[in-house]
């Protein structure tokens, strides 16, 4: 089967005409549109997942900080950890408790050294 499929591509038309016509304008636009659609969908999916994993990483970093300080028991859940230490929960969507921890660029939400 591989040889048959390769013959469609590599056998010159002057040797054996397989009856394929060249693409017209509509065919070229359709082929490029399908490729562009898949590319845009892939990039949009990547952007959504990057944002999701960034939020997960921020929350995990806050949990790791609490665990490294010895404030959590072993195998503590996120819900349990942040119910014990609600002021240490990262503010991921711009809400604020009234101090600098609500800023995405400061406090526990920053990657440049979690305070």
């Amino acid at each position: 089967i591989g040889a048959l499929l390769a013959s469609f591509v590599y056998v010159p038309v002057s040797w054996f005409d397989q009856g394929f016509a060249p693409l017209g304008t509509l065919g070229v636009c359709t082929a490029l549109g399908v490729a562009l659609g898949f590319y845009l969908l892939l990039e949009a999916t990547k952007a959504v997942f990057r944002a999701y994993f960034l939020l997960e990483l921020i929350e995990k970093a806050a949990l790791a900080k609490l665990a490294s300080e010895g404030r959590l028991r072993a195998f503590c859940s996120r819900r349990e950890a942040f119910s014990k230490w609600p002021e240490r929960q990262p503010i991921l969507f711009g809400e604020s408790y009234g101090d600098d921890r609500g800023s995405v660029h400061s406090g526990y939400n920053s990657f440049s050294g979690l305070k």
Side-chain angles (χ1 to χ4, degrees), residues 58 89-92 101-111 114:
I58 291 169
Q89 182 173 5
I91 309 302
L92 300 177
R101 289 189 193 102
S103 170
V104 175
H105 301 292
S106 67
Y108 298 102
N109 292 338
S110 174
F111 281 110
L114 298 172

Side-chain angles (χ1 to χ4, degrees), residues 35-96:
L36 181 65
F38 277 115
Y39 175 75
L40 293 175
L41 184 64
L42 173 71
E43 291 300 320
T45 304
K46 283 172 33 181
V48 167
F49 278 108
R50 280 186 189 136
Y52 174 75
F53 287 122
L54 177 66
L55 296 177
E56 286 288 316
L57 182 61
I58 291 169
E59 191 171 82
K60 287 177 184 178
L63 282 172
K65 180 76 170 164
L66 281 170
S68 70
E69 293 171 358
R71 297 179 185 214
L72 301 177
R73 66 176 183 79
F75 307 108
C76 180
S77 70
R78 292 179 188 192
R79 180 171 289 163
E80 181 183 347
F82 293 135
S83 66
K84 284 184 178 181
W85 303 95
E87 71 277 359
R88 300 290 295 272
Q89 182 173 5
I91 309 302
L92 300 177
F93 298 105
E95 298 104 12
S96 177

